[in-house]
Amino acid sequence: MPTMNNVKEAFEGESVAVRKYLAFAEIAQREGFIHAAKLFRALAESKTIHANIHLKQTGIVLSTEKNIQYAHNLEGSISEKRYQEMIDEAIKDGNKQAAQGFEYKKNIERGYAALSEKALNNLKSDESIDYYVCRHCGNIAEITVPETCPICKSMRHLFVKSC
């Protein structure tokens, strides 16, 4: 099925471009190039639209319940298997910084799995929950912001409320 392989490849390419353009926008903003930062954010927004079109074409996007179950299974698998392999390889290569980064991500992904399981169990609840993301490591806290991030120990001011 070459067409579906192309759709998946296009989705992955657009998704990578989004992240790169947003990183480029941060640098441009920091360097005072406001126009360039705006351009990179516009490119990222456009690429997001393209990625979403391709993602829908794959048939992966389903009902909310199935999407949460997918996220739970994916995050659990990544946290328990793949990141541990990456940690082991980084240690073997003597790259302590990469090993620590993978350890952070392993623990964060474990948290994602727990959050998605909780969301699945409470799917029919009317309760509205706020989520806060640590800008240093990406950890997600729910309801309230901790004094320090349990993963990277960053202070609470580095958490931003997710929309």
Side-chain angles (χ1 to χ4, degrees):
M1 213 193 290
T3 299
M4 286 313 293
N5 289 340
N6 290 339
V7 167
K8 290 176 185 177
E9 182 181 332
F11 165 71
E12 291 170 3
E14 298 289 350
S15 299
V16 169
V18 169
R19 300 313 318 154
K20 286 181 180 178
Y21 286 150
L22 289 174
F24 296 171
E26 281 183 36
I27 291 169
Q29 187 79 34
R30 196 175 322 129
E31 291 177 348
F33 299 112
I34 307 307
H35 180 73
K38 286 180 180 182
L39 172 61
F40 285 128
R41 283 193 290 274
L43 288 168
E45 190 171 338
S46 176
K47 293 291 188 178
T48 297
I49 292 167
H50 298 164
N52 286 338
I53 290 168
H54 296 308
L55 183 61
K56 288 174 187 168
Q57 291 169 337
T58 67
I60 292 173
V61 179
L62 303 168
S63 70
T64 298
E65 184 175 357
K66 289 181 180 176
N67 292 338
I68 293 173
Q69 186 64 53
Y70 174 87
H72 177 265
N73 293 340
L74 177 65
E75 302 304 339
S77 172
I78 290 171
S79 70
E80 297 308 318
K81 296 177 186 163
R82 186 62 186 129
Y83 274 119
Q84 188 57 55
E85 293 169 358
M86 293 177 177
I87 292 166
D88 294 342
E89 289 174 10
I91 291 170
K92 181 178 150 190
D93 290 345
N95 191 330
K96 292 179 183 178
Q97 184 178 11
Q100 181 183 31
F102 292 139
E103 185 70 37
Y104 279 178
K105 291 176 190 149
K106 175 183 161 184
N107 293 327
I108 292 167
E109 302 279 338
R110 197 176 283 149
Y112 294 168
L115 287 172
S116 39
E117 182 175 358
K118 185 175 180 181
L120 190 59
N121 292 335
N122 296 321
L123 189 59
K124 307 233 188 281
S125 169
D126 290 337
E127 180 184 11
S128 177
I129 297 174
D130 290 325
Y131 296 97
Y132 301 88
V133 180
C134 175
R135 287 182 290 167
H136 184 258
C137 73
N139 185 42
I140 299 174
E142 61 179 329
I143 304 169
T144 60
V145 178
E147 287 299 318
T148 59
C149 178
I151 302 296
C152 69
K153 309 301 181 218
S154 291
M155 300 303 293
R156 73 178 306 153
H157 72 276
L158 284 179
F159 278 81
V160 292
K161 186 175 182 179
S162 180
C163 355

